[in-house]
Amino acid sequence: MKRERIKHVLSIVETGSSITVKGWVRTCRKVKDLIFIEINDGSDIESLQVVVEPKIEAYKQLAELTTGSSLSVTGTLVESPAAGQRVELNAEEAEIYGLTDASAYPLQKKRHSFEFLREIAHLRPRTNTFGAVFRVRNSLAHAVHSFFQQREFLYVNTPIITANDCEGAGELFHVTTLDPLKQNKDYGDDFFGKKASLTVSGQLEGELFATALDRIYTFGPTFRAENSNTSRHLAEFWMVEPEAAFNDINDNMDLAEDFLKHIILSVLDECPKDMDFFDKRIKPGLIKNLEKIVSSKFERMTYTEAVKTLIDSKEKFNFKVEWGCDLQSEHERFLVEKKIGSPVILTDYPRTLKPFYMYCNSDSKTVRGMDVLVPGVGEIIGGSEREYRLDLLLDRMKELNLNEEDYDWYIDTRRFGTVPHSGFGLGFERAVQFVTGMENIRDVIPFARTPKNLKF
Ligand code: ATP
Ligand code: MN
């Protein structure tokens, strides 16, 4: 018989049909001579209750079932007399695939800490919370593609191994086949014959495609060897980076705002039960806040206005605020959580704080960078209008001591038919955090990579 996934079984309106489900046992208990099995197959946060009467052949076998065991059950779907569920399955036939040793199974009935679950990679996704996290993550990824595909952005795959450091920040993982323990080698002897690293951003390569194909986006893994053990940083994370020719900073802000609203709406629409779970168990008020964010316009503010607001607030900060300082997360969170209470887009940062490729304003002090800050997470998007004027770009590179030859291939975009263009990068895990309300970024990625932590 064709197998049905539990998600669909739970929504079947007409009872009485015969169906097969397969999955893992959440709980199994005996009440008098009836066996009640909660079975979950990962398709839904809700499990299906299976009722086993003594008259069926598999009764004795099923009485041995333990939490975590896997099986197939065929039976008749009936209306459930129990509260809290509409239907249940009256078992007729069953096959057990694998039993668990109940005393050794790490997932006991009590609630486990997320830290504990991170250590048991295989069973973590079998819990309610992580099942929900990864279904929502999937739905968000789908929404990322649907948003850009609807707007005719081309999905481009930029390289993971590169020879350039996009941010100029130098927090790179080197890629080498040389043995670090054997001395007297230089990069010329290495696999690529030069220094190579894992990409920190696909932007520069993305710009080459946007200045030919008009609108593109990348969605891939990104690596940063920053030694920051925070709840917002990973060494390996996924980034979504659209780049659009002929877009200025305002178009870029509009795009970022529409994009965030689209992905939130689609998850609320596609994963109502999982979102309900986060709203009840992880972050009360989550759905209401997301709905509010979707229906209101994001506040926009220049860096200079933000600095003034922070100084005028008379709030005590650990880091002093003055024009020219890099805003710390305490400043960003004050603005977005206390002062405004909804997402804020900050623009026009001091030139000295931003990378070489940002468009320089006529005051020659600020550049057209933009950060989107959201409550609970802080910076979720960083982007800019790009400097498309060749002479100004070269001046900026000189100022930052960047070697023009290394970037020749990039500078070509400004030599041959240069155009205004803009783009941004969304940290995908930060988006998952924002939408689910999960506190720690390690809990929204299947396998987290952080300093001194490389398991599985
Ligand atoms: P932050 O100031 O938070 O370290 P950043 O300014 O270095 O971020 P960008 O270079 O602007 O970040 O990267 C674009 C986006 O990528 C950020 O807005 C953020 O959402 C995400 N991001 C950056 N670094 C990390 C990281 N280490 N782990 C997860 N996401 C990150
Ligand atoms: Mn940034």
Side-chain angles (χ1 to χ4, degrees):
M1 183 173 301
K2 193 176 148 271
R3 170 199 166 203
E4 298 282 352
R5 295 197 82 206
I6 287 171
K7 174 183 171 167
H8 303 294
V9 172
L10 293 169
S11 65
I12 292 175
V13 182
E14 292 265 322
T15 51
S17 55
S18 180
I19 55 167
T20 298
V21 296
K22 301 186 180 197
W24 295 269
V25 175
R26 281 296 176 82
T27 60
C28 183
R29 63 206 158 87
K30 233 175 132 184
V31 180
K32 294 196 185 127
D33 57 357
L34 290 180
I35 307 168
F36 294 93
I37 309 165
E38 293 286 332
I39 169 166
N40 188 286
D41 64 4
S43 63
D44 200 284
I45 196 156
E46 219 182 304
S47 300
L48 178 67
Q49 173 157 284
V50 176
V51 185
V52 189
E53 294 178 20
K55 66 178 187 220
I56 76 159
E57 206 186 308
Y59 181 81
K60 250 178 116 175
Q61 238 190 323
L62 292 174
E64 306 292 307
L65 275 180
T66 42
T67 300
S69 302
S70 51
L71 77 163
S72 164
V73 191
T74 302
T76 308
L77 194 69
V78 297
E79 272 175 43
S80 176
Q85 61 197 16
R86 209 175 45 79
V87 290
E88 61 186 29
L89 192 69
N90 277 342
E92 280 144 21
E93 275 168 52
E95 181 186 349
I96 296 176
Y97 297 117
L99 287 170
T100 43
D101 171 355
S103 62
Y105 191 63
L107 296 182
Q108 301 301 328
K109 224 173 163 196
K110 66 174 180 126
R111 234 182 133 151
H112 296 290
S113 75
F114 296 154
E115 289 81 359
F116 171 77
L117 292 171
R118 268 179 233 145
E119 302 292 312
I120 43 171
H122 166 231
L123 299 176
R124 185 170 77 135
R126 283 208 198 158
T127 61
N128 282 337
T129 304
F130 289 97
V133 164
F134 294 115
R135 282 187 297 268
V136 165
R137 187 180 163 112
N138 166 71
S139 171
L140 273 173
H142 185 214
V144 164
H145 285 293
S146 72
F147 178 84
F148 289 116
Q149 293 294 330
Q150 276 166 21
R151 281 163 188 74
E152 298 179 5
F153 281 63
L154 295 191
Y155 176 41
V156 171
N157 303 115
T158 48
I160 288 171
I161 302 175
T162 69
N164 74 274
D165 165 10
C166 171
E167 300 292 311
E171 287 157 337
L172 302 170
F173 288 104
H174 295 298
V175 175
T176 176
T177 51
L178 293 179
D179 185 339
L181 301 176
K182 288 190 187 129
Q183 301 294 314
N184 302 323
K185 295 274 186 194
D186 63 34
Y187 291 116
D189 297 323
D190 207 346
F191 188 89
F192 295 105
K194 52 157 65 166
K195 201 168 162 180
S197 55
L198 295 177
T199 187
V200 294
S201 159
Q203 180 201 318
L204 301 189
E205 290 94 345
E207 282 185 55
L208 268 60
F209 274 71
T211 53
L213 301 172
D214 195 48
R215 280 173 242 179
I216 64 99
Y217 69 107
T218 70
F219 184 2
T222 312
F223 308 85
R224 296 194 184 177
E226 48 199 349
N227 209 347
S228 35
N229 243 316
T230 75
S231 58
R232 309 275 178 269
H233 291 90
L234 291 164
E236 176 179 300
F237 63 100
W238 287 64
M239 186 132 77
V240 179
E241 295 185 276
E243 189 73 38
F246 314 109
N247 265 12
D248 66 14
I249 186 73
N250 290 310
D251 302 321
N252 206 32
M253 285 193 273
D254 291 343
L255 185 71
E257 181 170 344
D258 288 350
F259 172 53
L260 282 179
K261 289 178 173 174
H262 172 93
I263 62 177
I264 295 170
L265 269 178
S266 40
V267 168
L268 288 172
D269 194 44
E270 277 184 24
C271 305
K273 281 186 179 178
D274 293 324
M275 291 304 294
D276 235 29
F277 171 84
F278 291 120
D279 191 66
K280 290 208 174 67
R281 307 291 287 273
I282 301 293
K283 193 166 188 175
L286 177 75
I287 293 181
K288 228 170 147 212
N289 280 335
L290 290 173
E291 284 170 347
K292 199 181 113 205
I293 285 165
V294 166
S295 62
S296 50
K297 189 149 173 58
F298 291 9
E299 193 84 23
R300 296 177 187 192
M301 195 187 257
T302 64
Y303 167 90
T304 305
E305 287 163 350
V307 166
K308 186 168 181 309
T309 307
L310 289 166
I311 293 172
D312 291 349
S313 76
K314 302 275 190 292
E315 180 87 2
K316 284 257 171 299
F317 296 112
N318 291 324
F319 290 89
K320 191 173 168 246
V321 185
E322 54 191 350
W323 200 94
C325 78
D326 208 352
L327 296 180
Q328 304 293 320
S329 83
E330 56 171 341
H331 307 135
E332 296 179 342
R333 296 190 79 147
F334 174 82
L335 275 177
V336 80
E337 283 158 24
K338 291 208 185 141
K339 188 76 196 173
I340 316 272
S342 63
V344 181
I345 311 183
L346 292 186
T347 56
D348 301 289
Y349 284 80
R351 197 182 73 196
T352 49
L353 297 179
K354 293 292 183 184
F356 74 97
Y357 51 70
M358 293 192 183
Y359 184 99
C360 195
N361 285 316
S362 55
D363 63 9
S364 55
K365 284 196 327 210
T366 58
V367 291
R368 292 189 187 163
M370 61 172 226
D371 279 0
V372 182
L373 314 177
V374 296
V377 172
E379 181 187 328
I380 194 166
I381 284 178
S384 66
E385 180 171 338
R386 318 304 187 191
E387 182 55 83
Y388 75 101
R389 299 161 298 183
L390 179 62
D391 47 339
L392 280 119
L393 184 73
L394 294 176
D395 286 351
R396 219 17 214 140
M397 293 183 72
K398 268 201 203 84
E399 188 180 32
L400 292 171
N401 279 321
L402 295 173
N403 187 358
E404 226 182 279
E405 269 167 39
D406 293 345
Y407 291 88
D408 229 27
W409 56 276
Y410 176 75
I411 300 165
D412 273 355
T413 55
R414 275 62 166 178
R415 287 194 183 109
F416 309 116
T418 191
V419 290
H421 60 286
S422 303
F424 60 80
L426 167 87
F428 188 59
E429 285 72 23
R430 293 203 188 164
V432 184
Q433 277 188 284
F434 179 50
V435 170
T436 58
M438 292 292 284
E439 275 290 322
N440 197 312
I441 197 164
R442 294 167 179 80
D443 295 324
V444 297
I445 188 162
F447 301 94
R449 273 79 180 90
T450 50
K452 298 283 180 290
N453 168 43
L454 183 61
K455 271 197 166 181
F456 320 118

